[in-house]
Amino acid sequence: MLHLVGLGLADEKDITVRGLEIVKKAERVYLEAYTAILLVDKEKLEAFYGRPVLEADRELVETGSDEILAGADKVDVAFLVVGDPFGATTHTDLVLRARELNIPTNVVPNASIMSGIGCTGLQLYNFGQTVSMVFFTENWKPSSFYDKVRENVQIGLHTLVLLDIKVKEQSMENLARGRRIFEPPRYMTVAQCASQMLETEETRQEGVYTEDSLAVGAARVGAPDQKLVVGTLKELSTVEMGAPLHSLVLLGRRTHDLERDYIRQFAVNQETFDASYAKSYGASS
C-alpha cells in the first residue's frame, strides 16, 4: 500500500501516532522535500523514526513516480508530506498513478497552514480563496493572484497568501547547459510579499488594496517560536520576522470585532492599526 502521511507544521514530533506507526513498519519512507519544509533537518526525523528517510525532490515526484511506487502493491511505502497530504499542496497525481497500477492507497491527515493559520485569531470560515506569491524577477512579475484577491475583497473575506520557496532550483544558464548545479535555497519573507503586493497594485492601479490595507504576517506557524505581526502593507514591507516559513493574510472588511481585538495585540503600531481599521474595516458582520 502507498501511505501518504501528513507531518504537521513544525518538527519531528508533529506526526500523528497513526502516521508514526506506518512509518516504522514501511519498507521505504520518502520525504517530499520541495513544496514545504519542516523546521528540523531530515536527520532529526530519521533519529525520531528510527529509520532512514529518502528525500523526494520535484524531479522524482513529478517524473519518477514509478520509482516511488515500485513494489507498493506488495509492501508498504510511506510518502511523507509537510503539513497535510491534501492541504495547501495536493498529491492527487501520485494517488491517481497508484490507482492506475492497482496499488491501494491510504491518507493520514495532519495540520496544514490552511488550518494552522487560525493561530492568528481570524475565523477560518471568513477566508476566501487562497493565493500564492512567487518571487518576482526583473522580467517576470505575474499578477494572477491579484484577481483572486479582488474577488475576496469584493465579498469582504480574508485572503491567505502562501509564500514562494525555492529548493533545488537551477539557474537558467545551468538549466540551458544541462549542468546539475543548484541554487541555494530561498524562502520568501512577509516583507518581500508585502512589497510585491504593493508593486503589483502600483502596476494594476485597480484599488484592490492600498499601502494602508491591514494584513497579518505569520512566521513558523505551529512552532514554539511562532511569530505574528499585524500592520499595514507598508509597515509589513519592512518588518523582520526571522527564519522561514512565512505566510501573510490580507484582512477582509467583514472582520469581526472579536477578530480585531485578538489581532490588535500583534500590531506594529496600535495607533496606526486603530486608524486603519476604523477607516476601512469598521463595519463588522
Side-chain angles (χ1 to χ4, degrees), residues 71-93:
D73 55 336
K74 301 179 181 68
V75 299
D76 286 315
V77 175
F79 184 78
L80 311 182
V81 182
V82 176
D84 183 88
F86 292 155
T89 299
T90 65
H91 288 287
T92 52
D93 52 344

Side-chain angles (χ1 to χ4, degrees), residues 126-183:
N126 282 342
F127 279 74
Q129 301 173 89
T130 297
V131 302
S132 297
M133 177 68 75
V134 301
F135 281 109
F136 285 178
T137 67
E138 186 175 345
N139 301 315
W140 189 61
K141 299 180 180 182
S143 62
S144 57
F145 75 90
Y146 187 88
D147 301 310
K148 292 183 178 181
V149 173
R150 181 201 293 109
E151 293 175 5
N152 290 344
V153 167
Q154 288 171 344
I155 52 179
L157 299 178
H158 310 313
T159 301
L160 171 60
V161 186
L162 302 179
L163 277 52
D164 200 6
I165 71 173
K166 297 291 187 185
V167 178
K168 206 173 181 181
E169 297 278 339
Q170 292 176 274
S171 68
M172 292 304 295
E173 180 182 354
N174 287 329
L175 194 60
R177 295 176 180 273
R179 298 184 298 210
R180 292 183 60 80
I181 300 174
F182 301 102
E183 301 292 295

Side-chain angles (χ1 to χ4, degrees), residues 11 56 77 80 100 114 148 160 165 188 214 251 276 284:
D11 58 31
V77 175
L80 311 182
E100 290 176 0
M114 305 290 281
K148 292 183 178 181
L160 171 60
I165 71 173
M188 184 179 288
L214 290 171
L251 215 60
S276 295
S284 61

